[in-house]
Amino acid sequence: MPLLKDNEFIDDTWARLDDDAEIPATGDILVSLARLLADFGKLSSRQGRLGVEFPNEQRPELLESFLPSLSLIALTFPKFADGRAYSQARQLRQLGFEGELRAIGDVLPDQLSFMIETGFDSFEVAERFPEDAWEQAASSISLTYQPTYQPRRLHVWRLRWARDEQVNLD
């Protein structure tokens, strides 16, 4: 499945590891929450980055002690109308997670802007929408009224304050 990150389609270098699969010695792996909880010692002592696929019915605080060891958290959208992963993303950022937050599942182009504002920075995109729809969605909104976790988003009020200060200086 294609991966959208930083407004570009890239190859996904993360390998999904089944719960009963042998843990490889190297490479970037994405595991289930159950596998993370069961085998964290083995997973964290290997070479390569570690990621977890986190179900949307779980509370982000469950991952708090694991956050320093995680490079990727994939949050699930089982259907586009289920927005619990938005809250999880914001909460994980508030807990201090600085790694990659990936949206997986039923992700739609028209939700991309809101996902970026809540802290997502990569998106596993379904092929039911053409790539240009994703590219347009990724670049269509560059301003926000809400605080955001993405530095490339400009906050509307900061722009207005800067403009007002410049007007007052003249």
Side-chain angles (χ1 to χ4, degrees), residues 43 60 78 101 115:
L43 292 166
L101 278 181
M115 289 181 185

Side-chain angles (χ1 to χ4, degrees), residues 27-84:
D28 301 337
I29 57 171
L30 182 63
V31 300
S32 70
L33 177 60
R35 184 74 186 256
L36 180 75
L37 296 173
D39 294 328
F40 180 70
K42 293 176 190 173
L43 292 166
S44 62
S45 64
R46 52 181 293 287
Q47 294 293 314
R49 296 180 297 169
L50 177 60
V52 64
E53 188 172 322
F54 195 67
N56 72 348
E57 70 271 1
Q58 295 291 332
R59 298 189 52 79
E61 294 82 11
L62 180 61
L63 290 179
E64 193 166 9
S65 63
F66 300 102
L67 293 181
S69 301
L70 295 173
S71 298
L72 168 68
I73 300 175
L75 299 176
T76 307
F77 286 85
K79 54 185 176 179
F80 76 90
D82 188 340
R84 290 178 284 183

